[in-house]
Amino acid sequence: MNLYNLLLRYPTLRTLLNFRTNIAAFSFITCSVPFFLMGHVTMGIAFSLGSISCGFADTSSVTKYRILDFCIAIPVFFLISLGTEAVFPHSVLFVISLTVVSFSLFMLAVLSPRLGAIGFASILLAIYAMLLHLDGRLFGLFLCG
């Protein structure tokens, strides 16, 4: 029995040997555990959610495109988290800006599926920034870490 048939027969083994899944889980753990141990639970959650969002944006299997995707995703993540934190205290402005930005990011999927994944991850990051918003603190900036 070769490896291909073994992986087809046991899907759990296929999941355990999936390199991307293991890297995503490892990045989640390495982002959250040190901050939890230091007592900064909110910051640990912010870093963990940011790494999950970045994992959602990673859809390419070609290294050149993966690097290009990250070069696009990191500045977009930074701008989205900064904008969410800056506009969140102003309700009307926040609703209008979130609507326009969400529509624009979802329209990236028309250009390419890779950009659509980055747009979806950016909207998810904006939601994470809303959930972690604390007045007077910019925890949302840590989401792009």
Side-chain angles (χ1 to χ4, degrees), residues 11-144:
T12 307
L13 186 61
R14 185 176 28 186
T15 304
L16 288 175
L17 295 177
N18 188 346
F19 191 64
R20 273 195 195 166
T21 305
N22 293 335
I23 286 180
F26 185 68
S27 70
F28 178 78
I29 291 169
T30 56
C31 286
S32 61
V33 171
F35 288 106
F36 290 147
L37 293 176
M38 290 187 296
H40 301 289
V41 176
T42 307
M43 195 177 295
I45 292 170
F47 271 112
S48 300
L49 294 176
S51 71
I52 289 171
S53 236
C54 207
F56 283 147
D58 180 27
T59 59
S60 181
S61 59
V62 179
T63 305
K64 180 176 95 172
Y65 293 129
R66 184 177 292 171
I67 292 171
L68 181 64
D69 288 348
F70 282 128
C71 289
I72 294 170
I74 298 300
V76 169
F77 284 4
F78 177 76
L79 293 173
I80 290 294
S81 60
L82 180 66
T84 302
E85 288 292 324
V87 183
F88 189 74
H90 313 289
S91 299
V92 175
L93 185 61
F94 177 72
V95 169
I96 292 169
S97 66
L98 187 65
T99 304
V100 170
V101 168
S102 296
F103 179 77
S104 302
L105 289 172
F106 274 130
M107 285 298 111
L108 286 176
V110 173
L111 298 175
S112 93
R114 291 183 303 120
L115 290 176
I118 292 172
F120 171 73
S122 300
I123 293 169
L124 195 62
L125 194 80
I127 294 169
Y128 293 156
M130 287 186 301
L131 294 175
L132 294 170
H133 176 76
L134 296 173
D135 290 327
R137 295 187 184 173
L138 291 177
F139 278 119
L141 293 180
F142 294 117
L143 289 171
C144 63

Side-chain angles (χ1 to χ4, degrees), residues 1-10 13-14 17:
M1 177 178 281
N2 61 12
L3 182 65
Y4 180 72
N5 290 336
L6 189 67
L7 292 177
L8 283 177
R9 180 171 287 183
Y10 302 107
L13 186 61
R14 185 176 28 186
L17 295 177

